[in-house]
Amino acid sequence: MSDRRPKLHPAPYPAALQAPGTSAESGASFERLSELGDLPPGTLRRISRGDLDLLLAHTPEGIVAVDDRCPHMAAPLSLGVLEGCVVACPLHEGRFDLSTGDPVQMPTTGGLDPDGTYHPVRSPAGGEAKPDVPGRKADARRLTRVRRFRYYPVRIVEGDIEVALPR
């Protein structure tokens, strides 16, 4: 029988995607951002510190902290939907895996994936295909690259979620 209890720990993340300035060597310090009880399994929460907006997500893999902006066009992912480890952007229907940092579904506007592969404009699920009218907007869409997430180290201390923030 599998254990379906929520994992009350930080989720693992790709080390190469750690946000700049969040390592101990860089002088980052952990800051309490939330009580664990305020982030139930399957929820998203925006936390702002100065001009830094973070997304806390309680996934089946654990708690993760990333920038609260879509890696496509910076829409707030905290307004999106979390399904397992995948967060859906409320703006262009892009879907991104919080456990890997990779896109699961490219946004409807198309563009370049993190590795540089071009994806054309697509229609929302069930809708008619949108024409990609030539011009500056189409050129901009073809050059817009979906980035991978930047992860902030997380730890759980006495029921509090603490995140390493850059100085």
Side-chain angles (χ1 to χ4, degrees):
M1 184 169 183
S2 68
D3 183 3
R4 295 194 178 269
R5 289 178 292 176
K7 296 181 178 170
L8 303 177
H9 59 76
Y13 63 87
L17 298 179
Q18 184 170 331
T22 60
S23 68
E25 297 81 34
S26 68
S29 59
F30 279 87
E31 183 176 328
R32 178 192 177 281
L33 295 187
S34 177
E35 289 183 22
L36 188 57
D38 291 340
L39 190 70
T43 60
L44 303 168
R45 183 166 180 212
R46 180 183 183 118
I47 305 284
S48 296
R49 292 293 185 268
D51 65 353
L52 180 63
D53 299 315
L54 296 172
L55 173 71
L56 293 181
H58 194 155
T59 76
E61 297 299 316
I63 310 285
V64 65
V66 296
D67 290 313
D68 186 23
R69 58 178 118 148
C70 176
H72 170 236
M73 294 185 90
L77 290 173
S78 56
L79 298 177
V81 175
L82 181 63
E83 294 177 4
C85 289
V86 176
V87 62
C89 177
L91 192 56
H92 296 118
E93 297 187 16
R95 295 170 45 85
F96 308 93
D97 190 334
L98 289 167
S99 67
T100 65
D102 292 327
V104 172
Q105 174 178 289
M106 286 294 285
T108 56
T109 57
L112 300 172
D113 68 19
D115 296 325
T117 301
Y118 175 72
H119 298 267
V121 171
R122 64 177 183 80
S123 66
E128 283 189 43
K130 298 187 291 187
D132 196 12
V133 179
R136 288 179 16 172
K137 286 185 178 181
D139 292 343
R141 281 192 293 274
R142 281 191 288 280
L143 295 174
T144 300
R145 182 183 304 271
V146 170
R147 304 290 178 187
R148 289 189 170 92
F149 288 114
R150 295 186 317 168
Y151 293 84
Y152 296 81
V154 174
R155 68 184 184 192
I156 311 299
V157 178
E158 298 178 3
D160 288 332
I161 300 171
E162 296 182 351
V163 177
L165 301 178
R167 289 191 175 238

